[in-house]
Amino acid sequence: MTTEFHGLTVDQICEAIDTLTPCMDDFVYVYDLVNDFYYISKLAVKRFCLPSNQFHNVIENHAKFVYPADIPMLQQDLEELVAGKKDFHDLLYRWISVDNDPIWINCRGYVVRHDSKPLYMLGCINEIGARQKADNVSGLLGVTSLKNSFLAEQTTPPDGYLLRLGIDNFKEINEKLGTDYGDLILKRTAECITACLLPGQKLFRAVADEYLIVNFSKRNTEEAIEQYKRIRQTIDTFVKENNYEVIYTISGGILKNEQLCGSSFSDAMKLSEFSLNEAKRHGKNCCYIFCEKDYEKFLRRRLLSQLLKRAVTHDFQGFEAYLQPLVDTDTNTIYGAESLMRFHTEEFGMVSPGEFIPLLEESGLIIPVGKWMLNEALCFCHEIQKIIPDFKISINISYVQVLKSNIIAEILNAVEYYHLPPSTVIIELTESGLVGSDQRITKLWARLKEKGICLALDDFGTGYSNFQYLNELKPDIIKIDRTFTTKAIANDYEFKLLSLMSNMAHSLDLRICVEGVENPSELTRMKELLPDYYQGYYFGRPCPFQEFQENFVN
Ligand code: C2E
Ligand code: CA
Ligand code: CA
């Protein structure tokens, strides 16, 4: 079909394009085939790296902003149009944005002819990858609309709040009941939230299973919390009325607009995402109010994680194995050392293991670092044994290493490599990790025992202190944690309890190590328990290998 001349000149069309531009997100254009001239709405220049919104030498100039790989396809299509082989142009290809990214567009247009002679092509360009303004699943407006609304309504001074809501464990609903049912839940949840909106508020679907209430009128965080609670109740009611077909909860992150002063839209989204994540981290089905200090901690954790990763990939630079003396109460001499990990960086100085070990465990980096630590410690022990032959080395092993790496082989190989008598190597595992003990832990325990390696139950007294475990696992040593020791010193009842536990452990033939002895009076009190070993600042603080050798070996 040939489109016949409508009587509009190219100039008139250009004027019409300018008139329509403010009302459109798409880009209307006209391609004057007689004069080889191209005119597109002026907004296109802001989005794509066009030489101008109007130019001659159309095909040649297109090469400047069309993604190179797509040029031949476009040229072929345009040549066919000019040659009159077809009248309709409909092509998916890429233009380059002002930020130099390839952007998928759909370019459509039809050729207008007069007496079969092609005059011009009139058409429109839409960005097909552009984010949806509306979301038909939840029936709400989407992120692009949220951004527009956010930027338009931001007031000075800023009032009100952002409340970001997220369904807890939505993935499970999708997995168990199918995505169609998941979509239904997204829709019903949107309805529940909508029912709780206050005058002047707007609701958007943020991403996947998250929603955002934008409130720019004078309302405070207490009102935000109340609103969150009402939403939670509404969802509870829906769950009940839906005959408990699916039971789910919702979390909320609240952010005062005041805290967003000067932030860009993407920063505002980051902070609201952080707030919602905090609510989920606090156990879900609750809400969290943004707090600058928490955010700083989060940023510190994130930076620290990056530094740990960098250290691992740079030959463990920044990690160090410290040694702390272990004292035998019979002879009052040092019989060994516990190896304790240290990490220091230029940015943070010395970081406490209490802070960085959980990050290593979370990321799995504890596997390479733990292996490195094991080798450092055994190497130190090998050196010390040249002077003190039966010197013992105690190594902390994390459960992540037990569950996710071949730790048994690593320990046995390292012990063999450094020619250490197995009985001089002590492996410490924490009591809390044994609860609900995994087969892999009992297997590790049995294998190491069989090889003659000593086993110590660390942190005893902080968790369940279950004597059943002691009986089943029969560790060689139980280490009484400092928190238990200090409680016992301060409180007679706690002391009696600790005393009874020591007696019981001794009657099971287990040896006891009292940790955290800091001064003579603590030592005097702890002596009453008749422990086998001491460890504490009173005898020596953890220190680098060189220092340990100077102070305790030579
Ligand atoms: P832990 O295994 O219970 O280690 C004993 C902790 O008590 C050490 O803290 C030590 O410095 C501290 N300590 C010793 N004597 C005293 C004292 O008299 N007073 C006080 N207040 N504290 C004392 P540190 O070195 O900060 O290590 C903390 C925890 O980090 C360790 O507790 C252990 O759970 C973990 N950790 C350290 N190094 C490693 C490692 O190489 N691997 C693994 N998986 N965990 C490690
Ligand atoms: Ca320990
Ligand atoms: Ca301990």
CSV table of all heavy atoms in Angstrom, one decimal, residues 428 458-459 479 481 515, ligand 3:
chain,number,residue,atom,x,y,z
A,428,GLU,N,40.1,-25.9,67.9
A,428,GLU,CA,39.1,-25.4,68.8
A,428,GLU,C,37.8,-25.2,67.9
A,428,GLU,O,37.9,-24.5,66.9
A,428,GLU,CB,39.5,-24.0,69.4
A,428,GLU,CG,40.7,-24.1,70.3
A,428,GLU,CD,40.9,-22.8,71.1
A,428,GLU,OE1,40.0,-22.0,71.1
A,428,GLU,OE2,41.9,-22.7,71.7
A,458,ASP,N,35.3,-24.7,72.6
A,458,ASP,CA,35.5,-23.2,72.9
A,458,ASP,C,34.3,-22.6,73.4
A,458,ASP,O,33.2,-23.1,73.2
A,458,ASP,CB,36.0,-22.5,71.6
A,458,ASP,CG,36.8,-21.3,71.9
A,458,ASP,OD1,37.0,-21.0,73.1
A,458,ASP,OD2,37.3,-20.7,71.0
A,459,ASP,N,34.4,-21.4,74.0
A,459,ASP,CA,33.2,-20.6,74.5
A,459,ASP,C,32.3,-21.4,75.4
A,459,ASP,O,31.1,-21.1,75.4
A,459,ASP,CB,32.4,-20.2,73.3
A,459,ASP,CG,33.1,-19.1,72.4
A,459,ASP,OD1,34.2,-18.7,72.8
A,459,ASP,OD2,32.6,-18.7,71.4
A,479,LYS,N,37.0,-25.0,77.1
A,479,LYS,CA,37.5,-23.7,77.5
A,479,LYS,C,36.4,-22.9,78.0
A,479,LYS,O,35.4,-22.7,77.3
A,479,LYS,CB,38.1,-23.1,76.2
A,479,LYS,CG,39.3,-23.9,75.6
A,479,LYS,CD,40.0,-23.1,74.5
A,479,LYS,CE,41.0,-22.1,75.1
A,479,LYS,NZ,41.8,-21.5,74.0
A,481,ASP,N,34.6,-19.7,78.8
A,481,ASP,CA,34.7,-18.3,78.2
A,481,ASP,C,34.8,-17.2,79.3
A,481,ASP,O,34.3,-17.4,80.4
A,481,ASP,CB,33.5,-18.1,77.4
A,481,ASP,CG,33.6,-16.8,76.6
A,481,ASP,OD1,34.3,-16.8,75.6
A,481,ASP,OD2,33.0,-15.8,77.0
A,515,GLU,N,39.6,-19.1,80.7
A,515,GLU,CA,40.0,-18.0,79.8
A,515,GLU,C,39.8,-16.7,80.5
A,515,GLU,O,38.9,-16.5,81.3
A,515,GLU,CB,39.2,-18.0,78.5
A,515,GLU,CG,39.5,-19.1,77.5
A,515,GLU,CD,38.8,-18.9,76.2
A,515,GLU,OE1,37.6,-18.5,76.2
A,515,GLU,OE2,39.5,-19.0,75.2
B,3,CA,CA,37.4,-18.9,73.9
